Amino acid sequence: MKAIIFTEYGPPEVLQLKEVEKPVPKDNEILIRIYATSVNYGDTLARNFKEITPGKFNMPFLLWFFAKIYFGFRKPKITILGSEFAGEIQSAGKEVRSFKQGDQVFGYLGQNMGAYAEYLCMPENGCVAIKPTNMTYEEAAVVPYGAIMALNLLGKVNIQPGQKVLVNGASGGIGGAAVQIARYFGAEVTGVCSTPGLELVKSLGADSAIDYTQEDFTQNGETYDLIFDVLGKSSFSRCKSSLSQNGRYLLASFKMKQLFQMLWTSMIGSKRVICAIAPGSKEDLISVKELIEAEKIKAVIDRRYPLEQIAEAHRYVEKGHKKGHVVITVEHKQNLINQEELK
Ligand SMILES: NC(=O)c1ccc[n+]([C@@H]2O[C@H](COP(=O)([O-])OP(=O)(O)OC[C@H]3O[C@@H](n4cnc5c(N)ncnc54)[C@H](OP(=O)(O)O)[C@@H]3O)[C@@H](O)[C@H]2O)c1
């Protein structure tokens, strides 16, 4: 099968299209023919991990160290990236009960990766579910990561209808999903992004959008029950006066300093710092599927690239200003044959 392999850390050029052995499912696994995958923050980070010093890593030192052990210090141990996908089940192991051949599925692989390929095997109890009926493969492939993260992290703060929520980094993968999910919880949502993302953020349901290149949301006199900072670009000290009396400052990216602030604010004062990691579970994926089918979450495809041009996609995502998602389409020889037959 075709796959994008990388055997050295480095710039996007290290991603090479190669022929590799097609995986064979174990008894408890499904073999998925992948039609679409994505490029997100984690893919670009893992591809260039040798250059990621503890200072550049958006998490505490200990997590950086574990990630180095997991991904490899000098050379990548995981050679196929891609953390989310949509496709069709080609075959299922003999113990598999919840899926069958021909099922259309989507899923999230997290740090296991492996979706930059024509085929993928995963256990039936992994983070995989039947694809939402109202999405194409391309759309379904780009939603899981951001939506699972946003749903899980927002679940830590118990948003109530009518509360005011600000999402900083609202035009990205996690932030875009957070805007939609916070709206679903009945919050009044403000999204913060740069000028080109304003319309997108409003189209996702934000009641208002702030352009961080023009306005500092910590200085506009507004207060929020929740400030969710996806990239950790703000700080608790600057946001404190923008939080309501029992306001929560939620961080998806944090260091030891913010962990100490979390501990400190849990003991003193009414405003809290919350740092959390979302592992990505099947339950969250199924909740995401239900929200998609209820039309509460939509996919925003910024750019499309074929698998062969994945280095180009990485170059774009690495700039850090994609709007929503970047999808990678995976064409199969069989599809081409079928299309030829139809002519
Ligand atoms: N806690 C967890 O479990 C967990 C899991 C996965 C990832 N993460 C963290 O999530 C982050 C990646 O999030 P993502 O995948 O959503 O990234 P993304 O899709 O690349 O989006 C990042 C967004 O941030 C915006 N942005 C850039 N600079 C900004 C600034 N100064 N102020 C406000 N917004 C700014 C960009 O919008 P503009 O173009 O408008 O600037 C962009 O749309 C990483 O830091 C990672 O460590 C946490």
Side-chain angles (χ1 to χ4, degrees):
M1 68 165 184
K2 277 185 307 185
I4 299 293
I5 305 287
F6 81 123
T7 51
E8 298 283 343
Y9 288 122
E13 295 71 47
V14 297
L15 300 170
Q16 299 288 328
L17 183 71
K18 293 256 163 78
E19 273 297 319
V20 298
E21 208 145 303
K22 185 175 165 183
V24 178
K26 298 190 186 114
D27 290 349
N28 65 336
E29 287 184 341
I30 49 180
L31 174 67
I32 301 159
R33 182 190 284 135
I34 297 173
Y35 290 136
T37 176
S38 73
V39 179
N40 61 44
Y41 173 84
D43 298 305
T44 59
L45 187 86
R47 191 207 70 233
N48 199 23
F49 210 43
K50 201 172 170 186
E51 297 301 317
I52 306 298
T53 58
K56 287 185 192 164
F57 195 56
N58 283 351
M59 291 282 171
F61 174 79
L62 206 57
L63 289 181
W64 171 87
F65 184 68
F66 287 139
K68 278 275 178 193
I69 292 174
Y70 182 80
F71 285 111
F73 275 84
R74 288 167 182 279
K75 280 177 179 276
K77 288 184 192 167
I78 290 171
T79 54
I80 303 181
L81 298 173
S83 68
E84 48 188 354
F85 65 87
E88 185 183 340
I89 296 188
Q90 198 188 39
S91 66
K94 61 180 183 213
E95 288 168 13
V96 172
R97 296 286 169 267
S98 44
F99 297 103
K100 61 179 185 322
Q101 189 187 359
D103 282 348
Q104 300 183 354
V105 292
F106 76 139
Y108 178 62
L109 297 157
Q111 73 278 7
N112 295 335
M113 305 276 186
Y116 289 178
E118 283 187 297
Y119 295 91
L120 162 78
C121 279
M122 67 187 293
E124 69 166 326
N125 62 2
C127 191
V128 54
I130 297 292
K131 178 174 82 65
T133 49
N134 54 344
M135 275 195 176
T136 62
Y137 285 114
E138 292 184 14
E139 290 168 331
V142 296
V143 174
Y145 154 74
I148 287 174
M149 294 300 137
L151 186 66
N152 191 288
L153 295 173
L154 291 178
K156 317 268 181 221
V157 287
N158 192 20
I159 296 172
Q160 298 299 313
Q163 283 190 327
K164 287 176 73 180
V165 170
L166 179 136
V167 179
N168 195 24
S171 57
I174 299 177
V179 167
Q180 299 179 78
I181 293 167
R183 279 290 289 145
Y184 165 69
F185 287 146
E188 184 186 322
V189 182
T190 300
V192 181
C193 60
S194 63
T195 321
L198 294 173
E199 283 313 309
L200 163 70
V201 168
K202 283 191 194 149
S203 77
L204 294 175
D207 299 276
S208 56
I210 294 176
D211 182 346
Y212 67 77
T213 65
Q214 304 294 320
E215 183 183 335
D216 180 349
F217 73 85
T218 65
Q219 300 297 316
N220 66 8
E222 291 286 333
T223 55
Y224 303 93
D225 299 294
L226 170 68
I227 295 176
F228 177 25
D229 192 337
V230 179
L231 279 94
K233 294 281 184 186
S234 62
S235 70
F236 181 53
S237 55
R238 280 199 288 126
C239 289
K240 214 169 168 182
S241 57
S242 305
L243 285 170
S244 62
Q245 204 193 352
N246 294 308
R248 300 286 181 263
Y249 180 62
L250 176 65
L251 289 165
S253 309
F254 50 87
K255 298 287 219 178
M256 282 310 290
K257 180 180 170 190
Q258 287 75 29
L259 285 176
F260 283 122
Q261 287 174 337
M262 179 160 91
L263 184 66
W264 181 249
T265 57
S266 71
M267 296 184 292
I268 288 168
S270 61
K271 299 177 185 183
R272 297 261 165 92
V273 175
I274 298 171
C275 307
I277 289 178
S281 67
K282 194 182 188 83
E283 290 68 35
D284 283 343
L285 182 70
I286 290 168
S287 302
V288 166
K289 171 185 152 69
E290 287 165 1
L291 287 173
I292 293 169
E293 288 178 340
E295 297 186 351
K296 303 296 178 195
I297 296 180
K298 60 182 175 186
V300 178
I301 295 181
D302 180 354
R303 292 194 181 185
R304 288 179 173 77
Y305 297 85
L307 189 66
E308 292 73 12
Q309 287 174 20
I310 204 149
E312 201 52 48
H314 268 242
R315 236 169 260 130
Y316 177 61
V317 171
E318 210 157 44
K319 288 181 187 149
H321 297 289
K322 71 178 167 63
K323 304 282 163 277
H325 311 283
V326 169
V327 69
I328 303 298
T329 53
V330 185
E331 206 164 330
H332 290 256
K333 283 183 202 133
Q334 193 57 44
N335 286 355
L336 292 175
I337 293 163
N338 289 346
Q339 280 166 20
E340 285 301 317
E341 281 170 357
L342 286 172
K343 277 182 191 168

